Amino acid sequence: NLTNVSAGKLLQVVQEHDSTFTRFQSSSTTFVSTQFKVTITPTAANSKILVDFRFISNNNGNAQDLYMTIRRSVAGGSFVDDFIPNGSQTNSNGNRYLTRNYGQSSRNEISSSMQILDTPSYTLGQAIEYRIYARSGNSSYNVEIPSSPDRTPVLGFATEIAA
């Protein structure tokens, strides 16, 4: 019985996964692009996009770090992380990340997820791609997403929410 209340509405949900089930491996200590992405073309102006990735990650060694984040590209432009909050999730290289897989005394193959609400600038008809970027904390260790390529999907979801 609410009156004069305006609330966001779900306009569409997109789900993607890499159907080749390829595993990303890297020992780079700077963020590199993975092949894991989700692309959405908003149907309304000023929509927010709820981005969600679900996967299994592997830090691949005792006391090793796997840093993970999401970057956005609008209409084929450069991938940016300007929508990731500043603060405690900043590594020593100054790059923002959303989550990490760290095991002080263990190699971790764990379920991981990243979720963030984005308010991108776009023109109707422009596709927005969200992609996982990752990096190792130590160049001697390959970090992995997913931890096993044997039919383990990395699921990406993008939900358009009306302003």
Side-chain angles (χ1 to χ4, degrees), residues 63-75:
Q64 299 309 313
D65 260 314
L66 163 55
Y67 295 94
M68 297 160 280
T69 195
I70 299 170
R71 291 189 179 170
R72 169 198 349 106
S73 169
V74 177

Side-chain angles (χ1 to χ4, degrees), residues 15 26 59 74 78 80 91 95 118 142 145 149-150 154:
Q15 175 185 315
S26 178
N59 71 338
V74 177
S78 298
V80 298
N91 64 37
N95 293 313
D118 186 21
N142 270 329
I145 301 172
D150 187 22
V154 174

Side-chain angles (χ1 to χ4, degrees), residues 87-160:
S88 61
Q89 266 65 27
T90 302
N91 64 37
S92 60
N93 289 337
N95 293 313
R96 291 173 278 214
Y97 65 92
L98 284 173
T99 194
R100 71 190 266 223
N101 175 347
Y102 174 76
Q104 184 171 353
S105 301
S106 63
R107 175 179 183 237
N108 294 337
E109 292 186 60
I110 60 173
S111 293
S112 301
S113 66
M114 292 185 287
Q115 187 176 65
I116 193 162
L117 183 63
D118 186 21
T119 308
S121 294
Y122 61 89
T123 301
L124 281 179
Q126 291 181 322
I128 304 171
E129 181 178 311
Y130 295 91
R131 184 175 291 267
I132 296 177
Y133 277 68
R135 77 171 193 85
S136 178
N138 182 329
S139 62
S140 298
Y141 287 84
N142 270 329
V143 292
E144 301 171 339
I145 301 172
S147 62
S148 169
D150 187 22
R151 300 286 181 211
T152 304
V154 174
L155 298 175
F157 303 89
T159 303
E160 181 182 4

Side-chain angles (χ1 to χ4, degrees), residues 14-53:
V14 175
Q15 175 185 315
E16 291 182 25
H17 73 279
D18 176 12
S19 60
T20 62
F21 300 97
T22 306
R23 177 177 18 185
F24 166 82
Q25 292 180 307
S26 178
S27 61
S28 174
T29 57
T30 59
F31 279 105
V32 293
S33 174
T34 72
Q35 66 272 26
F36 309 117
K37 66 175 186 65
V38 62
T39 303
I40 190 167
T41 302
T43 60
N46 302 316
S47 291
K48 294 179 184 262
I49 309 294
L50 179 62
V51 184
D52 186 6
F53 283 98

